[in-house]
mmCIF file with all atom_site columns, all heavy atoms in Angstrom:
data_model
loop_
_atom_site.group_PDB
_atom_site.id
_atom_site.type_symbol
_atom_site.label_atom_id
_atom_site.label_alt_id
_atom_site.label_comp_id
_atom_site.label_asym_id
_atom_site.label_entity_id
_atom_site.label_seq_id
_atom_site.pdbx_PDB_ins_code
_atom_site.Cartn_x
_atom_site.Cartn_y
_atom_site.Cartn_z
_atom_site.occupancy
_atom_site.B_iso_or_equiv
_atom_site.pdbx_formal_charge
_atom_site.auth_seq_id
_atom_site.auth_comp_id
_atom_site.auth_asym_id
_atom_site.auth_atom_id
_atom_site.pdbx_PDB_model_num
ATOM 1   N N   . THR A 1 74 ? 130.392 112.707 126.341 1.00 83.00 ? 184 THR A N   1
ATOM 2   C CA  . THR A 1 74 ? 131.588 111.926 126.646 1.00 83.00 ? 184 THR A CA  1
ATOM 3   C C   . THR A 1 74 ? 132.185 112.332 127.990 1.00 83.00 ? 184 THR A C   1
ATOM 4   O O   . THR A 1 74 ? 132.614 111.479 128.782 1.00 83.00 ? 184 THR A O   1
ATOM 5   C CB  . THR A 1 74 ? 132.639 112.116 125.544 1.00 83.00 ? 184 THR A CB  1
ATOM 6   O OG1 . THR A 1 74 ? 132.069 111.747 124.299 1.00 83.00 ? 184 THR A OG1 1
ATOM 7   C CG2 . THR A 1 74 ? 133.875 111.280 125.812 1.00 83.00 ? 184 THR A CG2 1
ATOM 8   N N   . GLU A 1 75 ? 132.197 113.636 128.274 1.00 82.00 ? 185 GLU A N   1
ATOM 9   C CA  . GLU A 1 75 ? 132.827 114.115 129.506 1.00 82.00 ? 185 GLU A CA  1
ATOM 10  C C   . GLU A 1 75 ? 132.049 113.727 130.757 1.00 82.00 ? 185 GLU A C   1
ATOM 11  O O   . GLU A 1 75 ? 132.568 113.833 131.877 1.00 82.00 ? 185 GLU A O   1
ATOM 12  C CB  . GLU A 1 75 ? 132.990 115.636 129.449 1.00 82.00 ? 185 GLU A CB  1
ATOM 13  C CG  . GLU A 1 75 ? 131.696 116.428 129.410 1.00 82.00 ? 185 GLU A CG  1
ATOM 14  C CD  . GLU A 1 75 ? 131.141 116.629 128.003 1.00 82.00 ? 185 GLU A CD  1
ATOM 15  O OE1 . GLU A 1 75 ? 131.579 115.903 127.095 1.00 82.00 ? 185 GLU A OE1 1
ATOM 16  O OE2 . GLU A 1 75 ? 130.285 117.518 127.836 1.00 82.00 ? 185 GLU A OE2 1
ATOM 17  N N   . ALA A 1 76 ? 130.793 113.273 130.593 1.00 81.00 ? 186 ALA A N   1
ATOM 18  C CA  . ALA A 1 76 ? 129.996 112.897 131.763 1.00 81.00 ? 186 ALA A CA  1
ATOM 19  C C   . ALA A 1 76 ? 130.599 111.708 132.499 1.00 81.00 ? 186 ALA A C   1
ATOM 20  O O   . ALA A 1 76 ? 130.392 111.554 133.709 1.00 81.00 ? 186 ALA A O   1
ATOM 21  C CB  . ALA A 1 76 ? 128.559 112.584 131.340 1.00 81.00 ? 186 ALA A CB  1
ATOM 22  N N   . ILE A 1 77 ? 131.334 110.857 131.799 1.00 84.00 ? 187 ILE A N   1
ATOM 23  C CA  . ILE A 1 77 ? 131.897 109.665 132.430 1.00 84.00 ? 187 ILE A CA  1
ATOM 24  C C   . ILE A 1 77 ? 132.814 110.034 133.591 1.00 84.00 ? 187 ILE A C   1
ATOM 25  O O   . ILE A 1 77 ? 132.862 109.348 134.609 1.00 84.00 ? 187 ILE A O   1
ATOM 26  C CB  . ILE A 1 77 ? 132.639 108.815 131.377 1.00 84.00 ? 187 ILE A CB  1
ATOM 27  C CG1 . ILE A 1 77 ? 131.622 108.186 130.407 1.00 84.00 ? 187 ILE A CG1 1
ATOM 28  C CG2 . ILE A 1 77 ? 133.463 107.713 132.042 1.00 84.00 ? 187 ILE A CG2 1
ATOM 29  C CD1 . ILE A 1 77 ? 132.246 107.392 129.288 1.00 84.00 ? 187 ILE A CD1 1
ATOM 30  N N   . GLY A 1 78 ? 133.545 111.136 133.460 1.00 84.00 ? 188 GLY A N   1
ATOM 31  C CA  . GLY A 1 78 ? 134.448 111.534 134.527 1.00 84.00 ? 188 GLY A CA  1
ATOM 32  C C   . GLY A 1 78 ? 133.913 112.608 135.443 1.00 84.00 ? 188 GLY A C   1
ATOM 33  O O   . GLY A 1 78 ? 134.649 113.112 136.302 1.00 84.00 ? 188 GLY A O   1
ATOM 34  N N   . ASP A 1 79 ? 132.636 112.963 135.321 1.00 85.00 ? 189 ASP A N   1
ATOM 35  C CA  . ASP A 1 79 ? 132.041 114.031 136.123 1.00 85.00 ? 189 ASP A CA  1
ATOM 36  C C   . ASP A 1 79 ? 131.621 113.479 137.480 1.00 85.00 ? 189 ASP A C   1
ATOM 37  O O   . ASP A 1 79 ? 130.796 112.560 137.550 1.00 85.00 ? 189 ASP A O   1
ATOM 38  C CB  . ASP A 1 79 ? 130.829 114.602 135.381 1.00 85.00 ? 189 ASP A CB  1
ATOM 39  C CG  . ASP A 1 79 ? 130.252 115.835 136.066 1.00 85.00 ? 189 ASP A CG  1
ATOM 40  O OD1 . ASP A 1 79 ? 130.474 116.010 137.277 1.00 85.00 ? 189 ASP A OD1 1
ATOM 41  O OD2 . ASP A 1 79 ? 129.554 116.609 135.387 1.00 85.00 ? 189 ASP A OD2 1
ATOM 42  N N   . PRO A 1 80 ? 132.163 113.994 138.602 1.00 87.00 ? 190 PRO A N   1
ATOM 43  C CA  . PRO A 1 80 ? 131.773 113.467 139.918 1.00 87.00 ? 190 PRO A CA  1
ATOM 44  C C   . PRO A 1 80 ? 130.290 113.654 140.228 1.00 87.00 ? 190 PRO A C   1
ATOM 45  O O   . PRO A 1 80 ? 129.710 112.863 140.967 1.00 87.00 ? 190 PRO A O   1
ATOM 46  C CB  . PRO A 1 80 ? 132.658 114.247 140.897 1.00 87.00 ? 190 PRO A CB  1
ATOM 47  C CG  . PRO A 1 80 ? 133.115 115.452 140.153 1.00 87.00 ? 190 PRO A CG  1
ATOM 48  C CD  . PRO A 1 80 ? 133.191 115.054 138.719 1.00 87.00 ? 190 PRO A CD  1
ATOM 49  N N   . ASN A 1 81 ? 129.665 114.688 139.670 1.00 87.00 ? 191 ASN A N   1
ATOM 50  C CA  . ASN A 1 81 ? 128.224 114.865 139.890 1.00 87.00 ? 191 ASN A CA  1
ATOM 51  C C   . ASN A 1 81 ? 127.424 113.756 139.221 1.00 87.00 ? 191 ASN A C   1
ATOM 52  O O   . ASN A 1 81 ? 126.388 113.320 139.733 1.00 87.00 ? 191 ASN A O   1
ATOM 53  C CB  . ASN A 1 81 ? 127.773 116.225 139.366 1.00 87.00 ? 191 ASN A CB  1
ATOM 54  C CG  . ASN A 1 81 ? 128.200 117.360 140.272 1.00 87.00 ? 191 ASN A CG  1
ATOM 55  O OD1 . ASN A 1 81 ? 128.427 117.160 141.456 1.00 87.00 ? 191 ASN A OD1 1
ATOM 56  N ND2 . ASN A 1 81 ? 128.329 118.546 139.709 1.00 87.00 ? 191 ASN A ND2 1
ATOM 57  N N   . VAL A 1 82 ? 127.879 113.319 138.058 1.00 87.00 ? 192 VAL A N   1
ATOM 58  C CA  . VAL A 1 82 ? 127.217 112.208 137.381 1.00 87.00 ? 192 VAL A CA  1
ATOM 59  C C   . VAL A 1 82 ? 127.383 110.925 138.187 1.00 87.00 ? 192 VAL A C   1
ATOM 60  O O   . VAL A 1 82 ? 126.442 110.138 138.336 1.00 87.00 ? 192 VAL A O   1
ATOM 61  C CB  . VAL A 1 82 ? 127.772 112.042 135.951 1.00 87.00 ? 192 VAL A CB  1
ATOM 62  C CG1 . VAL A 1 82 ? 127.245 110.769 135.306 1.00 87.00 ? 192 VAL A CG1 1
ATOM 63  C CG2 . VAL A 1 82 ? 127.398 113.249 135.095 1.00 87.00 ? 192 VAL A CG2 1
ATOM 64  N N   . ALA A 1 83 ? 128.580 110.724 138.735 1.00 89.00 ? 193 ALA A N   1
ATOM 65  C CA  . ALA A 1 83 ? 128.794 109.550 139.580 1.00 89.00 ? 193 ALA A CA  1
ATOM 66  C C   . ALA A 1 83 ? 127.903 109.593 140.817 1.00 89.00 ? 193 ALA A C   1
ATOM 67  O O   . ALA A 1 83 ? 127.372 108.566 141.257 1.00 89.00 ? 193 ALA A O   1
ATOM 68  C CB  . ALA A 1 83 ? 130.265 109.452 139.985 1.00 89.00 ? 193 ALA A CB  1
ATOM 69  N N   . ARG A 1 84 ? 127.731 110.799 141.379 1.00 91.00 ? 194 ARG A N   1
ATOM 70  C CA  . ARG A 1 84 ? 126.848 110.927 142.548 1.00 91.00 ? 194 ARG A CA  1
ATOM 71  C C   . ARG A 1 84 ? 125.415 110.577 142.171 1.00 91.00 ? 194 ARG A C   1
ATOM 72  O O   . ARG A 1 84 ? 124.713 109.882 142.920 1.00 91.00 ? 194 ARG A O   1
ATOM 73  C CB  . ARG A 1 84 ? 126.948 112.361 143.088 1.00 91.00 ? 194 ARG A CB  1
ATOM 74  C CG  . ARG A 1 84 ? 125.970 112.666 144.207 1.00 91.00 ? 194 ARG A CG  1
ATOM 75  C CD  . ARG A 1 84 ? 126.190 111.782 145.429 1.00 91.00 ? 194 ARG A CD  1
ATOM 76  N NE  . ARG A 1 84 ? 124.999 111.740 146.257 1.00 91.00 ? 194 ARG A NE  1
ATOM 77  C CZ  . ARG A 1 84 ? 124.847 110.948 147.310 1.00 91.00 ? 194 ARG A CZ  1
ATOM 78  N NH1 . ARG A 1 84 ? 125.815 110.139 147.661 1.00 91.00 ? 194 ARG A NH1 1
ATOM 79  N NH2 . ARG A 1 84 ? 123.743 110.964 148.006 1.00 91.00 ? 194 ARG A NH2 1
ATOM 80  N N   . PHE A 1 85 ? 124.980 111.042 141.009 1.00 92.00 ? 195 PHE A N   1
ATOM 81  C CA  . PHE A 1 85 ? 123.656 110.652 140.529 1.00 92.00 ? 195 PHE A CA  1
ATOM 82  C C   . PHE A 1 85 ? 123.568 109.133 140.393 1.00 92.00 ? 195 PHE A C   1
ATOM 83  O O   . PHE A 1 85 ? 122.554 108.521 140.750 1.00 92.00 ? 195 PHE A O   1
ATOM 84  C CB  . PHE A 1 85 ? 123.383 111.325 139.177 1.00 92.00 ? 195 PHE A CB  1
ATOM 85  C CG  . PHE A 1 85 ? 122.204 110.749 138.444 1.00 92.00 ? 195 PHE A CG  1
ATOM 86  C CD1 . PHE A 1 85 ? 120.915 111.156 138.740 1.00 92.00 ? 195 PHE A CD1 1
ATOM 87  C CD2 . PHE A 1 85 ? 122.383 109.787 137.463 1.00 92.00 ? 195 PHE A CD2 1
ATOM 88  C CE1 . PHE A 1 85 ? 119.822 110.613 138.075 1.00 92.00 ? 195 PHE A CE1 1
ATOM 89  C CE2 . PHE A 1 85 ? 121.294 109.242 136.796 1.00 92.00 ? 195 PHE A CE2 1
ATOM 90  C CZ  . PHE A 1 85 ? 120.020 109.662 137.103 1.00 92.00 ? 195 PHE A CZ  1
ATOM 91  N N   . GLY A 1 86 ? 124.618 108.505 139.864 1.00 92.00 ? 196 GLY A N   1
ATOM 92  C CA  . GLY A 1 86 ? 124.614 107.052 139.727 1.00 92.00 ? 196 GLY A CA  1
ATOM 93  C C   . GLY A 1 86 ? 124.503 106.342 141.059 1.00 92.00 ? 196 GLY A C   1
ATOM 94  O O   . GLY A 1 86 ? 123.843 105.309 141.168 1.00 92.00 ? 196 GLY A O   1
ATOM 95  N N   . ILE A 1 87 ? 125.145 106.896 142.096 1.00 92.00 ? 197 ILE A N   1
ATOM 96  C CA  . ILE A 1 87 ? 125.028 106.313 143.432 1.00 92.00 ? 197 ILE A CA  1
ATOM 97  C C   . ILE A 1 87 ? 123.585 106.383 143.923 1.00 92.00 ? 197 ILE A C   1
ATOM 98  O O   . ILE A 1 87 ? 123.039 105.420 144.469 1.00 92.00 ? 197 ILE A O   1
ATOM 99  C CB  . ILE A 1 87 ? 125.976 107.033 144.413 1.00 92.00 ? 197 ILE A CB  1
ATOM 100 C CG1 . ILE A 1 87 ? 127.428 106.693 144.085 1.00 92.00 ? 197 ILE A CG1 1
ATOM 101 C CG2 . ILE A 1 87 ? 125.668 106.647 145.860 1.00 92.00 ? 197 ILE A CG2 1
ATOM 102 C CD1 . ILE A 1 87 ? 128.441 107.483 144.872 1.00 92.00 ? 197 ILE A CD1 1
#
Side-chain angles (χ1 to χ4, degrees):
T184 303
E185 65 273 16
I187 290 177
D189 187 337
N191 285 336
V192 172
R194 174 61 201 173
F195 166 83
I197 290 173

